[in-house]
Amino acid sequence: VRQVGEVFILVPKKNAKTTSAAAIALTFMLMNKRRNADMLIIGPTQKISDVAFEQARGMIEADPDGYLQKRFQVQDHKKQIKDRTNGARLMVRTFGMDVLTGAKPVFALIDEIHLLGTIPYAADVIRQIRGGMMPFPESVLVMITTQSDHPPAGAFKTELQYARGVRDGTITDRVRMLPVLYEFPEAMQTGDEKVWQDPELWHMVTPNLGRSISID
């Protein structure tokens, strides 16, 4: 039984967010023991979904030992990766009521959840995903996103506020979420001294510093 059933990751732009999402999904596939399990990477748009799929495929192709190529069958026409050892499949889908209704994934990753803030039915779809995971004690839901350009709204605001509450210790009842939030404390964000403008502190919220991004 997985004690941490959800992970909420808030990370600044250009810090390998979608690449990390694909890597998390492949790692779960490697650890999965359930036969014929369904797993999902869900993007808010077709373009973001396609990028996640391309990153996952690229990791499989880049394995110098060839193990990943032997284990995983990449099906481009289906936007799907199949595990030859147990029949499990990782499917890349675009967020939508018609696409995700009735889904029963053992793993689901929602990419760029901040873009769902303006979709009125987003909370209902997320609730359906959570409900579909209930039969699987090892299931995990990952939400990974950058901050929105506008004040958080809708389902994104709800999930972000919950994650912050868990982090701050104000939500403690039946918590199964691990919040990983790369953001300055509120006092640093709103104080008159504008501490957040000091480049010496930017490394605190830049996890991929020295790789995909630099302070300059």
Side-chain angles (χ1 to χ4, degrees), residues 13 114-115 117-118 146-153 156-157 160:
K13 298 180 190 301
H114 79 87
L115 293 176
T118 58
T146 55
Q147 186 53 270
S148 55
D149 294 329
H150 305 286
F156 173 52
K157 182 178 181 180
L160 178 59

Side-chain angles (χ1 to χ4, degrees), residues 20-34:
S20 298
I24 291 169
L26 279 180
T27 301
F28 188 92
M29 288 194 79
L30 287 166
M31 298 178 67
N32 170 62
K33 297 179 181 179
R34 185 177 292 274

Side-chain angles (χ1 to χ4, degrees), residues 36-50:
N36 302 319
D38 283 346
M39 308 171 200
L40 296 171
I41 293 181
I42 304 161
T45 65
Q46 184 66 46
K47 184 176 181 180
I48 292 175
S49 300
D50 289 345

